Amino acid sequence: MDGGAPYNPRTVEEVFRDFKGRRAGMIKALTTEVEDFFQQCDPEKENLCLYGFPSEQWEVNLPAEEVPPELPEPALGINFARDGMQEKDWLSLVAVHSDAWLLAVAFYFGARFGFDKADRKRLFNMINELPTIFEVVTGTAKKQVKEKSSNSNHGSNRSKSNSKRGSEPQPRHSKALQSKDAEEDEEEGVEDEEEDEDEHGETLCGACGENYAADEFWICCDICEKWFHGKCVKITPARAEHIKQYKCPSCSNKRAKH
């Protein structure tokens, strides 16, 4: 980025890293920082777009002036629909367009730098392992996260301890710690569950900012109550079994300074 030079990822791994950064920024705008995003999308302003950046930041701004632009442009005029539909539906609509834009940018890089069929397939498969922004915003990607979110909100050491161990093989294990009524509700009312999950909010890794996936081990910090991928904080399921009180790197550093 020195001297204003355009940022051009040239390998599959670099393009995927670029994709993940932009995606994380847009997820923030549509979930944890949604009030700020809502205010910036003033229908009285001109055509506005939601941009995600590799630095995991987001921005609402006018489209690029040059034609054609350096990168594909996001959907124009997302602000005009803000007050014409329910907020949840509007956010879902922006999420769908954001997913389309992320794919456009990733495959723009792939085409520009001559990715062959195998590279394009590998890139798509890596992207496809992550939930879409639409799935995150509407709650369909949070089914496995609900136990962790609710346990974290309850705040008791016992629930955190249970969820820490329960997340070891699959989130199904932690489901077993819930009442049978909860399991029945889960089977009978998927739609109701998704609405409930919206209230719990999004659970993201405190280290990398990515979402929870069913096959990943997570651990909760007993101090700040944030969740982390085990791999991000170098904690294995076996090691977690022997930790009575887990402190994340950030909380450990704060304690060391005092």
Side-chain angles (χ1 to χ4, degrees):
M1 300 287 287
D2 292 341
Y7 170 70
N8 291 323
R10 292 173 179 269
T11 67
V12 171
E13 287 72 24
E14 285 175 346
V15 172
F16 182 58
R17 199 177 308 126
D18 178 273
F19 175 93
K20 284 203 300 182
R22 294 177 191 275
R23 174 181 172 276
M26 297 174 103
I27 286 174
K28 283 181 191 174
L30 297 171
T31 56
T32 57
E33 299 173 12
V34 69
E35 288 185 23
D36 188 18
F37 172 65
F38 185 89
Q39 293 301 324
Q40 290 191 39
C41 288
D42 185 349
E44 297 299 317
K45 294 183 179 178
E46 296 180 51
N47 279 302
L48 293 175
C49 303
L50 172 61
Y51 293 87
F53 299 110
S55 59
E56 300 188 5
Q57 300 303 311
W58 60 274
E59 178 182 73
V60 171
N61 211 334
L62 297 169
E65 291 184 6
E66 72 264 28
V67 179
E70 174 65 24
L71 289 177
E73 283 291 303
L76 278 173
I78 56 171
N79 51 314
F80 296 148
R82 190 193 76 177
D83 297 339
M85 55 202 304
Q86 289 194 2
E87 183 176 333
K88 188 176 178 181
D89 294 334
W90 175 66
L91 292 173
S92 298
L93 178 66
V94 177
V96 169
H97 283 297
S98 298
D99 282 318
W101 179 68
L102 286 176
L103 280 175
V105 171
F107 279 81
Y108 167 85
F109 284 133
R112 180 169 179 176
F113 297 113
F115 287 6
D116 60 18
K117 181 179 179 181
D119 281 344
R120 291 195 304 272
K121 185 175 182 180
R122 187 156 65 93
L123 174 61
F124 181 78
N125 286 339
M126 291 166 76
I127 288 172
N128 208 33
E129 285 299 311
L130 298 173
T132 63
I133 297 177
F134 176 78
E135 288 172 334
V136 172
V137 170
T138 58
T140 54
K142 297 187 223 170
K143 290 173 186 173
Q144 305 95 337
V145 177
K146 187 176 180 183
E147 305 85 65
K148 297 196 311 305
S149 298
S150 57
N151 284 343
S152 180
N153 288 342
H154 291 157
S156 73
N157 285 333
R158 187 173 64 82
S159 67
K160 279 184 284 184
S161 175
N162 284 347
S163 56
K164 182 163 60 183
R165 293 191 180 92
S167 62
E168 179 181 336
Q170 287 258 0
R172 272 192 231 106
H173 207 56
S174 57
K175 262 183 212 169
L177 299 170
Q178 299 176 359
S179 66
K180 288 184 179 179
D181 290 342
E183 290 182 359
E184 289 170 4
D185 290 343
E186 208 164 11
E187 292 172 2
E188 293 172 5
V190 175
E191 291 182 7
D192 292 340
E193 178 191 289
E194 289 173 3
E195 291 177 5
D196 290 340
E197 285 163 2
D198 287 336
E199 295 174 7
H200 288 304
E202 177 66 12
T203 298
L204 301 172
C205 174
C208 71
E210 289 301 314
N211 302 96
Y212 177 79
D215 58 348
E216 292 178 313
F217 169 70
W218 276 54
I219 189 166
C220 179
C221 174
D222 288 298
I223 307 300
C224 66
E225 297 189 3
K226 288 182 180 177
W227 286 88
F228 299 86
H229 289 106
K231 63 186 179 185
C232 289
V233 290
K234 297 182 171 58
I235 299 291
T236 63
R239 187 177 170 194
E241 289 294 332
H242 301 288
I243 298 175
K244 291 183 180 178
Q245 185 185 53
Y246 173 66
K247 284 183 285 192
C248 69
S250 177
C251 290
S252 298
N253 291 337
K254 286 178 188 172
R255 196 173 185 86
K257 288 177 183 176
H258 289 303

